[in-house]
């Protein structure tokens, strides 16, 4: 079993490599049609191309939902994107906040930060910035954000409780988050849990759906909603590389499920540590 620091370093290395590739290259390793899916990074990706603010240079095909679509971002809002990658969700959020708002992307992979900053510079956005840092210890002041978004990132983090504590800290009283993530129903086979490639691909780092929602509740959030849920089907050629035939058959008939969920929750309007919102 790898330590939390080892898992973080694995993710940093894997996503550093992905940052140097374009979307087409990433998709060629997992096309989703069963023809060539030897990697798992983007089998869960939703289509962003019709959303306002979409920039193809920032889309590496890595997400598992469309959290910005459900985030209720208003003009002038300050938005923080956790695990911002090449900037895809940040630029879509910027289309909602307009020039009077601010968008802050946080990522701990240097190559992703460099790529995102280059994309922002090309777009001429002076209200979108990218900060390198760990989302368990965000480089952001308390009570800063109106909205926090994230797309298939928290399940890569060993200390999910710590991340939710940080989200609570950086949100203003009355602020909210909309986060797309991967969760489980039932127990994955050990072969999937232990495979480094699956972990970096957002599956083995996932926790049970009930446990995920309970973490949100335990950290003081209210009005918790599952805004979207969809089943994730892992192609057989990926599964067969990790499970033998007996394990594969058992997994398929076990009722175990892997799901993409988009979860919304609010920081109470009156927070003892931060005061009350108007």
């Amino acid at each position: 079993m790898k330590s939390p620091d080892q898992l973080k370093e694995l993710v940093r290395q894997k996503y550093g490599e992905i940052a140097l590739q374009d979307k087409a290259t990433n998709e060629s390793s997992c096309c989703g049609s069963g023809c060539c899916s030897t990697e798992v990074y983007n089998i869960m990706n939703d289509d962003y191309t019709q959303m306002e603010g979409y920039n193809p240079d920032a889309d590496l095909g890595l997400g598992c939902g469309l959290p910005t679509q459900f985030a209720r971002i208003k003009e002038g809002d300050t938005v923080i994107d956790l695990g911002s990658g090449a900037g895809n969700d940040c630029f879509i959020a910027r289309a909602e906040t307009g020039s009077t708002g601010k968008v802050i992307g946080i990522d701990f992979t240097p190559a992703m930060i460099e790529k995102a900053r280059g994309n922002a510079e090309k777009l001429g956005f002076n209200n979108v910035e990218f900060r390198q840092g760990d989302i368990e210890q965000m480089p952001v002041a308390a009570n800063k954000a109106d909205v926090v978004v994230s797309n298939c990132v928290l399940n890569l983090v060993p200390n999910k409780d710590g991340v939710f504590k940080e989200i609570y800290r950086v949100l203003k009283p009355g602020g909210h988050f909309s986060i797309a993530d991967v969760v489980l129903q039932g127990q994955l086979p050990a072969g999937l849990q232990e495979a480094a490639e699956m972990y970096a691909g957002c599956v083995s780092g996932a926790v049970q759906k009930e446990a995920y929602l309970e973490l949100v509740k335990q950290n003081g959030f209210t009005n918790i909603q599952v805004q979207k849920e969809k089943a994730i089907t892992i192609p057989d050629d990926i599964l067969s590389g990790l499970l033998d035939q007996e394990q594969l058959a058992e997994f398929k008939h076990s009722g175990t499920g892997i799901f993409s969920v988009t979860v919304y929750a609010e920081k109470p309007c009156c927070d003892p540590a931060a005061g009350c919102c108007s």
Side-chain angles (χ1 to χ4, degrees):
M1 180 67 68
K2 290 180 172 59
S3 70
D5 286 344
Q6 288 173 321
L7 289 171
K8 284 185 180 182
E9 185 56 32
L10 170 66
V11 173
R12 193 196 309 269
Q13 290 174 1
K14 290 291 184 182
Y15 283 85
E17 294 168 7
I18 291 171
L20 302 178
Q21 301 172 170
D22 58 20
K23 184 182 181 184
T25 303
N26 288 333
E27 287 184 335
S28 70
S29 66
C30 183
C31 59
S33 64
C35 65
C36 55
S37 51
T38 58
E39 298 286 349
V40 72
Y41 299 112
N42 65 336
I43 61 172
M44 298 167 282
N45 190 42
D46 279 354
D47 183 18
Y48 270 86
T49 57
Q50 302 305 309
M51 297 187 70
E52 186 178 357
Y54 174 77
N55 183 276
D57 290 339
D59 183 8
L60 298 180
L62 300 175
C64 60
L66 298 171
T68 43
Q69 186 177 49
F70 299 96
R72 306 176 189 177
I73 298 168
K74 303 187 300 296
E75 187 173 356
D77 276 352
T78 295
V79 179
I80 296 176
D81 178 24
L82 308 182
S84 48
N88 193 26
D89 283 293
C90 288
F91 300 135
I92 291 171
R94 197 269 181 190
E96 300 289 333
T97 69
S99 59
T100 60
K102 185 174 183 62
V103 182
I104 301 169
I106 301 173
D107 202 289
F108 81 157
T109 306
M112 286 293 190
I113 291 291
E114 182 178 354
K115 193 176 187 77
R117 287 173 176 168
N119 287 332
E121 185 175 354
K122 284 188 290 186
L123 292 167
F125 291 156
N126 60 10
N127 62 335
V128 181
E129 67 170 286
F130 296 93
R131 302 179 184 180
Q132 186 177 342
D134 193 326
I135 61 173
E136 293 176 38
Q137 296 178 307
M138 294 185 209
V140 179
N143 309 309
K144 176 73 173 179
D146 298 287
V147 183
V148 170
V149 296
S150 186
N151 196 347
C152 212
V153 171
L154 267 69
N155 44 288
L156 295 173
V157 179
N159 183 12
K160 296 170 180 58
D161 181 64
V163 177
F164 282 118
K165 283 180 168 55
E166 277 291 272
I167 294 172
Y168 193 96
R169 181 184 68 82
V170 301
L171 278 172
K172 298 175 183 177
H176 64 268
F177 71 72
S178 181
I179 292 175
D181 226 330
V182 175
V183 296
L184 307 176
Q185 296 270 27
Q187 191 64 40
L188 283 181
L192 298 189
Q193 292 286 7
E194 296 169 3
E197 291 82 7
M198 294 298 288
Y199 189 92
C202 305
V203 175
S204 289
V207 298
Q208 296 293 319
K209 177 183 173 182
E210 294 79 6
Y212 192 97
L213 295 175
E214 183 61 25
L215 270 180
V216 176
K217 181 179 179 181
Q218 288 176 358
N219 277 288
F221 292 99
T222 59
N223 194 21
I224 302 166
Q225 305 170 26
V226 176
Q227 295 174 304
K228 182 179 179 180
E229 180 173 323
K230 67 173 183 177
I232 301 299
T233 302
I234 301 177
D236 282 356
D237 58 349
I238 292 176
L239 290 173
S240 62
L242 299 166
L243 306 173
D244 61 32
Q245 288 301 311
E246 183 179 347
Q247 290 171 324
L248 180 58
E250 183 180 351
F251 174 65
K252 286 192 164 187
H253 293 92
S254 66
T256 297
I258 302 171
F259 295 86
S260 165
V261 294
T262 302
V263 177
Y264 171 96
E266 299 169 356
K267 180 174 178 176
C269 195
C270 196
D271 177 58
C276 295
C277 46
S278 57

